[in-house]
């Protein structure tokens, strides 16, 4: 990637990590970055080997896992933190990502 494109992608990653993009769609994210959505997605994939929304899902799950471990929040609250409306869907995604159910993380306090 060209240095200007890489800097934009790093800025995007910081936006995603902050949680500020959690409620944005791809068009909104592209607007925030001042770039075409398709180009932004291509550059992100080249830099980080995953899609923007795969990365965003991973970060949300990691924030939920941290809340489970650090704060002892309920699994239902962790699902909300991760942006899931269904606790069952959250548990499935969590288990796929971490290899353990969310309840296991909560019990490791």
């Amino acid at each position: 990637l060209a240095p200007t494109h890489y800097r934009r992608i790093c800025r995007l990653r910081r936006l995603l990590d902050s949680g500020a993009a959690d409620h944005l769609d791809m068009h909104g994210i592209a607007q925030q970055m001042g770039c075409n959505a398709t180009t932004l997605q291509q550059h992100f994939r080249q830099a980080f080997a995953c899609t923007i929304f795969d990365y965003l899902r991973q970060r949300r799950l990691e924030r939920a896992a941290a809340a489970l471990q650090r704060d002892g929040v309920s699994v239902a609250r962790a699902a909300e933190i991760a942006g899931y409306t269904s606790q069952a869907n959250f548990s499935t995604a969590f288990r796929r990502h971490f290899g353990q159910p969310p309840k296991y993380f909560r019990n490791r306090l």
Side-chain angles (χ1 to χ4, degrees), residues 20 31 40-41 54 83 87 92 100:
Q31 270 189 321
L40 191 62
Q41 187 73 271
D54 285 344
Q87 189 174 328
T92 298
Q100 298 288 335

Side-chain angles (χ1 to χ4, degrees), residues 5-41:
H5 298 284
Y6 186 73
R7 283 192 297 275
R8 177 183 292 138
I9 294 306
C10 288
R11 211 171 73 239
L12 171 58
R13 188 172 62 174
R14 285 191 302 275
L15 176 74
L16 298 174
D17 289 345
S18 75
D22 282 358
H23 297 16
L24 295 175
D25 62 5
M26 191 60 219
H27 179 72
I29 292 171
Q31 270 189 321
Q32 288 279 327
M33 293 294 104
C35 184
N36 172 300
T38 303
T39 302
L40 191 62
Q41 187 73 271

Side-chain angles (χ1 to χ4, degrees), residues 33-95:
M33 293 294 104
C35 184
N36 172 300
T38 303
T39 302
L40 191 62
Q41 187 73 271
Q42 288 172 344
H43 290 167
F44 193 88
R45 189 183 291 258
Q46 285 175 345
F48 301 112
C50 66
T51 69
I52 290 170
F53 285 104
D54 285 344
Y55 183 83
L56 187 57
R57 182 175 24 289
Q58 291 170 10
R59 293 297 298 143
R60 287 175 177 166
L61 288 170
E62 289 165 6
R63 282 197 298 270
L68 284 164
Q69 286 181 319
R70 181 187 61 240
D71 304 327
V73 300
S74 68
V75 174
R77 177 65 186 125
E80 290 174 13
I81 290 168
Y84 286 82
T85 55
S86 164
Q87 189 174 328
N89 289 347
F90 166 70
S91 293
T92 298
F94 194 96
R95 185 184 306 249

